[in-house]
């Protein structure tokens, strides 16, 4: 199952389990987390999945994605021994993710961000090889990378034995909604997941042209932005903490913008 909309669990702290349960009951069938205690609580995602299974919503019906976070993305709560090799860090982090999430397999496992910039370096190559090994073991269906630029993604696609199947990036309208990275994804059949679609683009959300489209369709501007993202080929993430907004966001699955409307939104800050 490849989701069309993902519920993100960053910054939910102690409310993580409750919000994951609410999101799934509202209709989300895909959950994003990370083994990064600074911003996420994987253990509480696991608790929510257990509770949902008890309510008859099986693990199999939910697309589950988590991430390996390099050391510089952590505070003092590092979920692996930073003194060991990068390969072992990945394997240890992955094993603890499975324990936290009470599962024996993931749908998608991402490298949270490259070590090198603006291209990729030796550390990225070592970590990607470890992630490929996890994929080969059958414990994750898809592998991918987050927070990449077009140069990094092109290098990974060229050099990897197993190319990324997923990219997850913050999406700024002023940067053409990440057009360069999305174009590589389109050409290579990589799923593009976009986050911060609302929070990174407040001027677009409030733009009069978006308000007019929202009025025509009979929805709110936030739904228009999520639908725009879907129609240009993204799988959006939302991190809403509000039950009404969960339902509103999901309605983006069932509205339709015209090609002219999509082009108009595309051009607002482009
Ligand atoms: N890979 C990475 O490095 C990375 C980085 C950041 C995030 N992420 C992932 O992406 C997920 C989402 O993060 P995000 O930055 O896109 O979102 P977010 O920061 O969680 O924010 C969503 C914001 O939009 C508002 N919102 C959502 N639906 C709305 C609606 N229908 N009407 C009005 N306001 C609405 C929410 O407010 P309410 O709560 O009031 O609805 C909230 O303020 C994260 O949880 C995480 O899983 C990944």
């Amino acid at each position: 199952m490849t989701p069309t909309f993902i519920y993100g669990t960053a910054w939910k702290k102690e409310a993580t389990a409750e919000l994951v349960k609410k999101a799934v009951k509202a209709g989300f069938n895909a959950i994003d987390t990370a083994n990064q205690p600074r911003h996420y609580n994987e253990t509480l995602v696991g608790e929510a999945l257990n509770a949902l299974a008890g309510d008859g919503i099986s693990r199999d019906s939910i697309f589950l994605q988590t991430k390996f976070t390099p050391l510089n993305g952590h505070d003092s709560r590092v979920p692996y021994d930073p003194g060991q090799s990068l390969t072992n860090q990945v394997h240890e982090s992955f094993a603890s993710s499975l324990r936290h999430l009470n599962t024996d397999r993931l749908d998608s496992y991402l490298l949270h961000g490259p070590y090198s910039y603006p291209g990729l370096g030796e550390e990225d190559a070592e970590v990607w090889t470890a992630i490929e090994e996890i994929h080969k073991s059958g414990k994750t269906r898809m592998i991918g990378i987050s927070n990449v630029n077009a140069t990094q993604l092109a290098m990974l696609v060229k050099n990897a034995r197993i190319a990324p199947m997923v990219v997850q990036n913050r999406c700024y309208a002023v940067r053409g909604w990440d057009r360069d990275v999305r174009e590589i994804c389109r050409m290579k059949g990589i799923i593009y997941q976009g986050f911060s679609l609302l929070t990174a683009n407040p001027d677009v959300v409030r733009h009069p042209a978006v308000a007019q489209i929202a009025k025509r369709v009979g929805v709110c501007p936030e739904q228009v932005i999520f639908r725009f993202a879907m129609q240009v080929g993204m799988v959006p993430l939302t991190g809403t903490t509000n039950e009404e907004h969960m339902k509103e966001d999901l309605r983006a699955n069932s509205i339709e913008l015209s090609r002219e409307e999509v082009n108009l939104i595309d051009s607002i800050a482009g």
Side-chain angles (χ1 to χ4, degrees):
M1 177 253 295
T2 304
T4 57
F5 212 149
I6 300 176
Y7 185 70
T9 62
W11 315 299
K12 310 285 184 284
K13 299 185 176 167
E14 296 313 309
T16 301
E18 212 45 51
L19 288 167
V20 168
K21 282 188 274 179
K22 281 184 179 158
V24 171
K25 291 196 172 168
F28 282 94
N29 60 3
I31 302 294
D32 176 76
T33 182
N35 199 352
Q36 184 196 32
R38 178 180 173 189
H39 295 306
Y40 297 80
N41 194 324
E42 267 189 337
T43 305
L44 291 182
V45 173
E47 270 183 27
L49 294 174
N50 271 359
L52 288 163
D55 291 344
I57 301 171
S58 75
R59 159 72 187 86
D60 287 342
S61 65
I62 295 170
F63 176 97
L64 187 56
Q65 172 172 279
T66 191
K67 313 181 191 86
F68 168 76
T69 306
L71 190 57
N72 67 3
H74 288 288
D75 56 17
S76 60
R77 295 165 290 174
V78 184
Y80 48 80
D81 173 4
Q84 61 188 331
S85 69
L86 292 172
T87 301
N88 288 345
Q89 290 176 24
V90 174
H91 286 292
E92 191 184 334
S93 185
F94 183 80
S96 80
S97 284
L98 293 186
R99 283 196 303 277
H100 296 155
L101 295 165
N102 299 307
T103 188
D104 57 3
R105 75 211 177 281
L106 293 175
D107 295 285
S108 174
Y109 194 54
L110 308 184
L111 169 55
H112 210 148
Y115 287 76
S116 299
Y117 178 86
L120 297 180
E122 281 177 20
E123 292 158 309
D124 299 300
E126 181 177 344
V127 164
W128 188 256
T129 300
I131 290 175
E132 289 175 330
E133 284 165 8
I134 292 170
H135 174 66
K136 281 190 231 152
S137 77
K139 288 182 178 161
T140 183
R141 194 158 60 82
M142 295 195 249
I143 54 177
I145 187 161
S146 183
N147 299 303
V148 272
N149 62 35
T151 305
Q152 292 165 325
L153 181 59
M155 282 180 82
L156 187 59
V157 166
K158 182 162 174 274
N159 299 328
R161 274 156 296 252
I162 303 174
M165 301 151 199
V166 175
V167 160
Q168 183 183 97
N169 268 4
R170 179 168 279 119
C171 216
Y172 290 99
V174 287
R175 296 186 196 157
W177 303 92
D178 212 13
R179 191 171 290 124
D180 296 354
V181 171
R182 286 192 293 115
E183 183 55 17
I184 298 174
C185 291
R186 194 188 60 76
M187 287 189 310
K188 300 292 176 187
I190 300 169
I191 295 166
Y192 181 96
Q193 301 176 354
F195 63 84
S196 301
L197 285 156
L198 304 181
T199 49
N201 307 300
D203 293 347
V204 183
V205 178
R206 286 195 300 263
H207 196 280
V210 171
Q212 209 169 5
I213 296 167
K215 194 168 167 213
R216 179 193 72 75
V217 186
V219 296
C220 61
E222 289 81 1
Q223 291 164 306
V224 170
I225 301 301
F226 285 130
R227 184 63 204 178
F228 160 78
M230 290 172 180
Q231 286 189 224
V232 297
M234 295 185 210
V235 177
L237 286 106
T238 179
T240 178
T241 54
N242 176 304
E243 263 183 288
E244 280 313 305
H245 291 169
M246 288 174 184
K247 289 180 195 144
E248 269 179 22
D249 293 355
L250 281 168
R251 258 205 77 206
N253 274 312
S254 53
I255 60 176
E256 191 68 26
L257 309 182
S258 69
R259 183 189 293 245
E260 292 71 32
E261 288 169 335
V262 169
N263 291 342
L264 182 59
I265 298 168
D266 204 12
S267 70
I268 288 176

